[in-house]
Amino acid sequence: MNTVEIEDNSVNRGFYFICFGAFFIMLSLATHLPAYPHMLQEFNLTPGYAVWMQLGLAVGLTGFQPLLGWIGDSFGLKLVIIIGGIFMVIGSLLVALSFSFWVLVLGLFFKGISGAAIAPSGVAYAGKFMKGTQRGKGIGTFMAFSTIGALFGPVISGSIVDTINWQGSFVFTSILGVIAILLFSFVPQVKIEKRQKLDVAGLFFVIVLLVGLLTIPTFINGFGVQSGMWIPSLIIFIIALISLVFVEKKKAEPLLDIEYVGNRNFWVPTTIAVFIFLGYSGVMYLLTFFVQNVQGKSATVVGFLQMAIFLGTSLAAYFSGRVLKYFSARVIIGTGISMFSIGIIMLSFVHIETTFSYLFISMSLIGIGSGFQTPAIKGIVVSKAATERINVVTFTNTVIENIAQRMGASFALVAFNIFSVSGNNVQAMAKTSWVIMGLIVIALLFLPLIPRTIPGIHKDDELLSKSAVPPPLEKEEIR
């Protein structure tokens, strides 16, 4: 089979095809939020059942990312992103045509797999083919495209739900999945010199671990904390975690790069991201039920408020990626956490008559804070990863972040349901915001451990040099 060198133009074209495809997939993933209350009404279920919907999405979004990372390193990233498009089409149609609640959950599970395939793809691509300023810009651009997709999802979905029905929004996302597949087909196929062996034991323990962890809030919601029904899930999680670490350390090519996880350039930024994403995702899900069920406003209003958080995230990520070269990683991440904190503090003062503009500003600040730190965090994570293991590293980081987001969302839904039962649901968001502030304080404790410079983006001896010229791209072979 003939091979040709991958030139700069080919790299850039492939990168933007990934970005535009990710735009449509992330738009599709964000459409279910405003539809949640209507979907539950369809099956005459209480808000607490949204935890099962969230569980289906979460298992798909987190449980299969390590497998997809292995596929990317062994068969090429192009196959992974096309798989993502296919699962978006199948999952969306299952939800739209669901004849029972559990078929709906299965559809959300497939949509989660789609997100698992796409969310880390642009970061892995930029980490492998781009250097210096170009890598920072690439990561920022991809995160911007991803969150801009999520920006339009709630608004479009809310409008479709209000004017047609909730099923129509999922028919719409199946069409977007087809468009994404067409875009991904134009991404160049990189030749893999060495195919890695699948770590079956690692995959098994990852899935068991995640199911145990993610079902904890589900059982708390269904039976209460005092019942102890969630304890078996906690035990399963702990046993699976210990077994996973033991198994992965003995593997030459592990599914999760446990050795690199211990590197400060991985675990410190990932830990900060975990505490921030717990609050980021939890606030969004809590907002959906607060605005619709407590304030009595429409799904379209929820869509516009979620648009604020995604717009802030996308613009901040895009801008941060471009200035990352000229500031230390600590400054970038610290600034993002500060903006995030201001938005959360604003939520501690909400009440039933809180205005749309107040919530919009708060959501915008939360989005800006989260997005501004993302390129720095991702840049640090991939900075010392081996090129041949870049997909495994980025997917490992993303699965940890996604677990945090799913846990944050699940516990927010549980909190809302508990407050609803006690008749104090008006204060649900305000009280939860103080818990989130505690998580932010913990995240700040890790900030001094962030390295000042980012290998692959900063020069060790010239952090603030504006005259630095990025090195030429590495050459790779493609089919």
Side-chain angles (χ1 to χ4, degrees):
M1 184 175 294
N2 294 329
T3 62
V4 296
E5 286 188 335
I6 186 166
E7 302 293 342
D8 292 5
N9 289 337
S10 181
V11 168
N12 291 331
R13 281 198 302 270
F15 178 72
Y16 280 105
F17 278 122
I18 291 175
C19 286
F20 281 108
F23 166 83
F24 290 111
I25 295 297
M26 294 306 165
L27 190 156
S28 301
L29 277 178
T31 55
H32 62 277
L33 290 176
Y36 264 24
H38 299 270
M39 295 159 76
L40 292 171
Q41 289 177 7
E42 177 80 14
F43 296 100
N44 297 316
L45 299 172
T46 64
Y49 275 84
V51 177
W52 288 102
M53 298 159 67
Q54 176 61 25
L55 178 64
L57 184 72
V59 172
L61 194 56
T62 58
F64 291 87
Q65 277 194 344
L67 173 62
L68 292 164
W70 171 82
I71 293 175
D73 285 329
S74 299
F75 298 94
L77 187 62
K78 182 175 182 176
L79 176 60
V80 174
I81 56 181
I82 289 178
I83 288 173
I86 292 172
F87 271 96
M88 177 55 67
V89 175
I90 297 174
S92 297
L93 291 177
L94 275 177
V95 175
L97 303 175
S98 58
F99 53 86
S100 75
F101 176 73
W102 300 112
V103 173
L104 184 150
V105 171
L106 178 63
L108 291 175
F109 166 71
F110 283 165
K111 289 189 70 175
I113 293 177
S114 174
I118 305 305
S121 58
V123 177
Y125 192 90
K128 185 168 186 176
F129 296 116
M130 298 178 178
K131 297 291 184 182
T133 303
Q134 190 174 15
R135 179 182 291 182
K137 288 181 178 180
I139 293 174
T141 300
F142 175 75
M143 299 309 298
F145 268 89
S146 299
T147 48
I148 287 173
L151 156 70
F152 290 105
V155 177
I156 295 174
S157 175
S159 301
I160 294 175
V161 169
D162 289 337
T163 57
I164 305 176
N165 53 41
W166 65 265
Q167 290 93 339
S169 67
F170 290 95
V171 173
F172 173 69
T173 60
S174 68
I175 297 173
L176 297 183
V178 173
I179 296 174
I181 293 172
L182 294 176
L183 289 168
F184 293 147
S185 66
F186 289 100
V187 176
Q189 175 65 44
V190 178
K191 182 180 179 180
I192 304 299
E193 298 295 338
K194 179 183 178 182
R195 187 164 295 172
Q196 300 180 12
K197 183 179 179 181
L198 177 60
D199 179 9
V200 178
L203 178 62
F204 171 77
F205 284 117
V206 164
I207 295 176
V208 173
L209 179 152
L210 292 172
V211 170
L213 179 63
L214 295 170
T215 52
I216 291 175
T218 305
F219 285 111
I220 290 176
N221 175 73
F223 303 99
V225 178
Q226 68 281 358
S227 70
M229 293 292 290
W230 53 275
I231 294 178
S233 292
L234 177 62
I235 294 174
I236 290 173
F237 162 71
I238 294 173
I239 294 175
L241 177 61
I242 295 172
S243 302
L244 177 65
V245 173
F246 179 78
V247 168
E248 296 298 87
K249 282 188 174 183
K250 291 183 173 294
K251 294 284 185 178
E253 297 177 344
L255 188 70
L256 294 178
D257 202 327
I258 298 296
E259 182 178 351
Y260 189 66
V261 166
N263 190 301
R264 190 178 72 163
N265 282 45
F266 183 95
W267 72 265
V268 173
T270 301
T271 300
I272 291 176
V274 163
F275 287 109
I276 296 301
F277 279 130
L278 280 169
Y280 180 86
S281 183
V283 163
M284 282 196 295
Y285 280 80
L286 197 61
L287 175 74
T288 299
F289 286 94
F290 177 80
V291 172
Q292 292 193 61
N293 290 20
V294 177
Q295 292 190 322
K297 298 180 180 178
S298 68
T300 303
V301 173
V302 173
F304 276 109
L305 288 173
Q306 290 175 344
M307 181 185 72
I309 195 169
F310 289 129
L311 178 62
T313 302
S314 60
L315 293 179
Y318 184 82
F319 176 75
S320 177
R322 274 152 176 70
V323 302
L324 179 58
K325 171 74 175 179
Y326 308 107
F327 297 92
S328 75
R330 293 176 193 169
V331 169
I332 295 291
I333 296 174
T335 301
I337 294 176
S338 299
M339 299 295 290
F340 187 86
S341 301
I342 295 172
I344 295 297
I345 290 173
M346 288 182 65
L347 291 182
S348 65
F349 298 100
V350 300
H351 50 81
I352 195 169
E353 295 181 355
T354 297
T355 63
F356 171 85
S357 59
Y358 183 93
L359 290 175
F360 191 91
I361 293 171
S362 175
M363 292 296 110
S364 298
L365 290 172
I366 291 171
I368 291 170
S370 176
F372 195 76
Q373 67 173 353
T374 299
I377 286 189
K378 297 294 184 181
I380 296 171
V381 166
V382 301
S383 63
K384 293 188 176 181
T387 302
E388 66 274 9
R389 299 280 291 168
I390 196 73
N391 287 289
V392 167
V393 169
T394 53
F395 276 69
T396 300
N397 164 257
T398 305
V399 73
I400 295 172
E401 292 181 351
N402 281 335
I403 290 172
Q405 291 190 60
R406 296 315 110 198
M407 290 298 292
S410 295
F411 277 113
L413 291 170
V414 169
F416 181 86
N417 195 46
I418 292 174
F419 280 119
S420 297
V421 172
S422 65
N424 198 23
N425 52 12
V426 174
Q427 294 295 317
M429 185 180 291
K431 292 182 177 181
T432 304
S433 66
W434 289 111
V435 176
I436 295 172
M437 280 303 302
L439 299 176
I440 293 172
V441 171
I442 297 174
L444 284 170
L445 295 177
F446 290 89
L447 188 60
L449 298 177
I450 289 290
R452 184 169 179 268
T453 60
I454 306 175
I457 293 179
H458 294 134
K459 286 186 176 181
D460 292 337
D461 57 348
E462 199 176 13
L463 175 63
L464 302 179
S465 173
K466 295 184 179 181
S467 61
V469 178
L473 297 176
E474 295 178 349
K475 303 295 181 181
E476 290 286 337
E477 288 186 319
I478 64 171
R479 290 190 178 95

